[in-house]
Amino acid sequence: EKKGRAAVLDYLSTAECTIFKGNCSVSPAALDAMFHGKSPAEVLEKVKALNAEKVSLDAFEQLVEAVSGKKIKSVKKPNENRSFQPVLEYLSSPQCDLFSTGLRVSSSAINTLLDAYNTDVERLLIDVSVLNALGVKLQSFSELAPALEGKNVVDYKKKLLDVIRDPEATHFAERPPEFSEDELYGVLALSTSRITFLPTILKNIPKPVNGLEDLCDAVGDIITQAASAESKEQAKVVAFLSKFGLFSKQFAITVPLVQKLIYTSQFSKWGLQGGSVEDILQALYESKSVFDSFEGLIQAVEAKADKMGTAVSAPPQ
């Protein structure tokens, strides 16, 4: 197979091949994606056919898409993916609890971190969101890079990737083909702001999809719509809890706790069918439920939302 791959790359370098407008870089991940599910002979035949059709491309990833017929969402050129801003925004957001003593960042530390990820900010942001989901606490920014290399981060990502590609999963309309890890990372990249809830989103997705690209679109739409409604849902939670007593004692309620409550509702069967968190709180109040902690309320909201969502989606008897 190595000889076959070399033959393809050799052909792409010949004067006969005019597919690329100029020089382009080739990443190992993109190369693996092009040969995924195809023999080197099949790939070479397709490449020669594209060249005969006078196809003109700017990047190797475009060739991968043309050969495989699949959209490569997670591969970006380094110069298009260098900005640390998305990671900095995530680290500074209320949902990120990695730095309990405040965040102090130096430009040299940022560059060191980017170099460690080969300037792939998308992968870096995924790992940072996973680290946050694991509940890790750091004292300084310098502790971030070593923490990202931990086995716990690798294991957590593997669990998420296994959920995405599970052949028995209900988020696919039919048994999916095998996906490369690079393709699967496209789903994770869309989920960094809600990565803890990705398995819940996939479990409760209202309509099964036909492929990974459709899954990316569905997950992206769900998270975007939920984010746009978050402030209204937060106002409903605060207003309801201020008016009705659901707790047996007083304690501080933090923004991350309220967000977790809202996300639990939004990504439940109930929430993904348009139901509001206010309806769930009302149902708990009417059942005279009282809680000793906010976590207890969140658990009750999760159970009630699943029950209410199942009832709504059940076919009529």
Side-chain angles (χ1 to χ4, degrees):
E1 185 176 339
K2 287 184 178 179
K3 290 183 178 180
R5 290 192 176 200
V8 173
L9 294 176
D10 287 345
Y11 176 77
L12 290 171
S13 304
T14 63
E16 176 188 350
C17 182
T18 57
I19 287 178
F20 295 115
K21 297 176 182 177
N23 294 329
C24 66
S25 60
V26 181
S27 69
L31 196 60
D32 288 342
M34 186 166 71
F35 286 93
H36 182 70
K38 294 182 181 292
S39 69
E42 290 173 323
V43 172
L44 182 58
E45 182 180 358
K46 179 64 176 178
V47 169
K48 287 184 175 180
L50 291 170
N51 188 56
E53 293 169 10
K54 305 296 182 184
V55 169
S56 183
L57 305 174
D58 294 305
F60 191 81
E61 286 74 25
Q62 293 175 332
L63 178 62
V64 175
E65 293 172 7
V67 170
S68 66
K70 297 176 182 177
K71 185 73 174 175
I72 306 299
K73 287 180 174 274
S74 59
V75 178
K76 293 185 179 180
K77 295 180 183 178
N79 63 347
E80 294 175 345
N81 204 11
R82 177 75 193 185
S83 173
F84 190 73
Q85 191 62 30
V87 180
L88 192 59
E89 289 175 358
Y90 180 86
L91 292 172
S92 305
S93 68
Q95 73 188 87
C96 181
D97 201 27
L98 285 171
F99 299 96
S100 54
T101 58
L103 178 62
R104 295 178 181 176
V105 184
S106 68
S107 57
S108 61
I110 289 175
N111 287 329
T112 299
L113 197 56
L114 287 171
D115 289 341
Y117 277 78
N118 194 28
T119 70
D120 193 338
V121 176
E122 193 172 80
R123 294 285 181 115
L124 173 56
L125 182 55
I126 290 170
D127 285 4
V128 169
S129 66
V130 164
L131 196 66
N132 185 56
L134 288 166
V136 173
K137 304 299 179 187
L138 305 174
Q139 296 301 313
S140 66
F141 190 80
S142 62
E143 296 178 358
L144 180 58
L148 292 172
E149 297 175 356
K151 185 175 182 296
N152 54 346
V153 174
V154 175
D155 290 345
Y156 193 99
K157 285 192 297 183
K158 183 180 183 303
K159 287 171 65 176
L160 291 177
L161 295 175
D162 287 344
V163 171
I164 298 169
R165 62 186 162 208
D166 181 5
E168 305 301 325
T170 56
H171 48 267
F172 287 118
E174 56 186 32
R175 190 181 182 92
E178 289 187 13
F179 301 115
S180 69
E181 187 172 289
D182 225 50
E183 291 174 305
L184 295 172
Y185 263 91
V187 181
L188 295 187
L190 291 165
S191 312
T192 50
S193 64
R194 307 289 186 270
I195 204 155
T196 308
F197 289 89
L198 179 58
T200 305
I201 293 172
L202 296 177
K203 175 186 173 184
N204 297 324
I205 201 164
K207 185 178 179 181
V209 299
N210 294 318
L212 197 60
E213 187 172 354
D214 289 342
L215 184 63
C216 285
D217 291 339
V219 170
D221 288 345
I222 286 171
I223 291 176
T224 299
Q225 291 170 14
S228 66
E230 183 179 332
S231 59
K232 290 183 179 179
E233 291 291 275
Q234 185 169 325
K236 291 176 183 178
V237 170
V238 173
F240 191 95
L241 295 180
S242 300
K243 184 177 181 181
F244 300 100
L246 285 176
F247 300 107
S248 60
K249 57 184 178 182
Q250 291 187 334
F251 49 83
I253 298 176
T254 64
V255 171
L257 281 174
V258 173
Q259 286 181 322
K260 186 176 180 180
L261 175 69
I262 292 169
Y263 301 159
T264 299
S265 167
Q266 286 182 321
F267 303 129
S268 66
K269 289 181 180 179
W270 174 252
L272 291 180
Q273 294 178 82
S276 171
V277 64
E278 187 177 27
D279 301 320
I280 302 172
L281 294 175
Q282 183 67 40
L284 292 173
Y285 176 75
E286 291 175 356
S287 66
K288 303 188 184 305
S289 300
V290 179
F291 306 96
D292 296 327
S293 66
F294 207 89
E295 282 293 344
L297 173 60
I298 291 173
Q299 291 172 11
V301 165
E302 182 178 12
K304 179 63 75 172
D306 186 70
K307 185 176 181 180
M308 291 170 63
T310 300
V312 170
S313 60
Q317 299 294 323

